[in-house]
Amino acid sequence: MNGASRAIQGGPSLDLLKASAFDASPEPALVIGPDGALVAVNEAAEALFGQGLGLLARGRFGAALPPGSALVSLLERAAAEGVRVRERGVEISLFGHPSFEADGAATPLADGSVVLTLHVKGGALGAERAGAEQAGLRTIVGLGHMLAHEIKNPLAGIRGAAQLLKTGARSEDAPLAQLIVDETDRIRRLVDRMEAFSDDALPDCAPINIHQVLDRVKALAANGVADGLQLADDYDPSLPPAYGDEDQLIQIFLNLVKNAAEAAHARGDGRGAITIHTGYRHGVKVRSTKGQALRSAPLEVRIQDNGPGVPAHLRESLFQPFVSTKTYGAGLGLALVAKLVAGHGGLIDFESEPGRTVFRVLLPIASEEPA
């Protein structure tokens, strides 16, 4: 395991990886060959796993992982789809080391190999980022409470006064009074949206056919935000029932489809398209926001559009409140979606590049509902 790039003897050339950058990366990275064998690792991976990598090099990478490992699923998806895929909160258990969580990214190479990168912070992959998102949600919950009590009442008074002024105003002044009415209504709607974050009630979950939910979302979108777009689905008919709140699930996916439609319309060439995929992902576990227990969340829904993509500078904070890609957006839609998904014991993530953005929601199934 010596050498600048820790190449395993007999593996493919690391020229494909730009070896110096690969080895210098602070994130642990491993290259898995087309036959499933470990062919190269960088220094960070060697430091993380120690001598265990030498043992792993003698056999298939997947054989060293527990049955149903999300890492195997991640590698298989990257190889099958031919694009970089990510998985947040993957449980890593190798070589007898205590298990930990990490965010994984798998990138396919031209020769059939896959580069697996692990993002580890503080011994628990993704924990700091998830903590930041939860802190942001707690902040918005507090803001929702405060705004509901401190702003709504004076807004009603301002609106009423503006309406009275309008009735007695000169014709040239009436538009100004109406402007006050319109603006107070707009602020009231914003406060209502923020107040939604202050509702800590648990979702009313029951077994539900996720395709019925998605068909309803499609029908709503086709007659509204997605009018003029190609709106398609790619459903896995063998999926078991999800365990969720129907109204909240409609809210989640309608919001995601609405965002996808706006992105697809932004192409401006009349070729915008949205596809809704469903599937089953073995080995995916999500840490509960209420405790430390890991729960299975294998039911996957992906909302894909062919718009311009999420700007790079927003990708790390897209689910936090007041972050928006829209010029006049409030930045609350995705934060609310993240809150609702977390309340279901699920996970939301995305990957984006120009011409392809995919938002992925993972949900528990009815057979694994909590006691």
Side-chain angles (χ1 to χ4, degrees):
M1 300 292 292
N2 294 323
S5 296
R6 286 10 181 214
I8 306 299
Q9 213 168 22
S13 170
L14 282 180
D15 289 342
L16 294 170
L17 304 176
K18 298 181 180 179
S20 60
F22 171 75
D23 198 54
S25 171
E27 306 286 8
L30 308 90
V31 182
I32 315 302
D35 60 352
L38 180 68
V39 296
V41 299
N42 67 358
E43 290 184 355
E46 192 173 52
L48 179 63
F49 294 115
Q51 297 303 313
L53 290 172
L55 298 174
L56 183 58
R58 301 173 189 170
R60 291 176 58 84
F61 180 78
L65 300 171
S69 170
L71 280 184
V72 174
S73 174
L74 185 69
L75 294 169
E76 291 175 347
R77 285 176 55 206
E81 298 176 18
V83 295
R84 183 175 184 267
V85 295
R86 299 188 301 170
E87 189 85 62
R88 290 182 58 193
V90 179
E91 188 174 16
I92 310 294
S93 178
L94 281 171
F95 320 121
H97 289 267
S99 62
F100 60 91
E101 285 188 31
D103 293 344
T107 306
L109 300 178
D111 67 350
S113 301
V114 178
V115 180
L116 175 64
T117 304
L118 301 177
H119 179 58
V120 184
K121 287 187 177 181
L125 204 52
E128 293 182 6
R129 177 177 170 185
E133 290 177 3
Q134 290 302 317
L137 289 177
R138 287 194 296 270
T139 299
I140 199 65
V141 166
L143 285 173
H145 277 302
M146 180 191 72
L147 289 172
H149 292 289
E150 301 298 331
I151 294 182
K152 279 187 174 182
N153 286 339
L155 274 181
I158 293 170
R159 190 183 192 281
Q163 286 180 314
L164 289 174
L165 288 172
K166 182 182 176 182
T167 59
R170 295 176 300 178
S171 58
E172 61 267 29
D173 293 333
L176 294 176
Q178 184 61 45
L179 178 62
I180 298 174
V181 173
D182 292 343
E183 285 300 290
T184 53
D185 286 344
R186 184 180 65 84
I187 297 171
R188 173 66 181 251
R189 289 194 298 271
L190 177 60
V191 173
D192 285 342
R193 292 179 65 192
M194 295 181 67
E195 192 175 9
F197 289 94
S198 66
D199 183 5
D200 292 327
L202 293 174
D204 185 13
C205 293
I208 185 170
N209 185 330
I210 194 65
H211 295 144
Q212 291 180 359
V213 170
L214 296 173
D215 282 343
R216 181 166 176 191
V217 169
K218 278 182 59 183
L220 292 169
N223 293 289
V225 293
D227 185 30
L229 300 176
Q230 179 184 343
L231 184 56
D233 60 65
D234 177 20
Y235 292 165
D236 179 351
S238 66
L239 287 182
Y243 188 66
D245 182 311
E246 182 176 9
D247 289 341
Q248 290 193 10
L249 290 176
I250 290 173
Q251 185 177 6
I252 288 168
F253 293 115
L254 188 58
N255 197 308
L256 292 177
V257 169
K258 177 177 179 289
N259 286 350
E262 291 172 349
H265 278 304
R267 290 172 57 97
D269 59 2
R271 299 172 62 185
I274 301 171
T275 305
I276 303 176
H277 306 262
T278 62
Y280 193 91
R281 300 300 176 196
H282 295 276
V284 177
K285 293 187 177 182
V286 178
R287 187 171 297 283
S288 168
T289 57
K290 299 294 184 183
Q292 294 302 307
L294 284 170
R295 286 187 57 196
S296 177
L299 196 154
E300 179 187 69
V301 178
R302 288 183 289 151
I303 311 295
Q304 179 174 329
D305 68 72
N306 62 350
V310 178
H313 69 283
L314 295 181
R315 292 178 186 175
E316 291 300 314
S317 56
L318 194 60
F319 295 109
Q320 295 182 13
F322 305 118
V323 175
S324 177
T325 61
K326 306 167 192 173
T327 304
Y328 299 104
L332 296 177
L334 285 177
L336 178 57
V337 165
K339 178 181 184 294
L340 296 179
V341 171
H344 277 76
L347 180 148
I348 183 170
D349 205 348
F350 75 98
E351 54 193 72
S352 183
E353 60 187 31
R356 182 181 181 273
T357 296
V358 181
F359 278 83
R360 184 174 61 126
V361 175
L362 295 168
L363 296 168
I365 58 177
S367 62
E368 298 183 7
E369 63 193 65

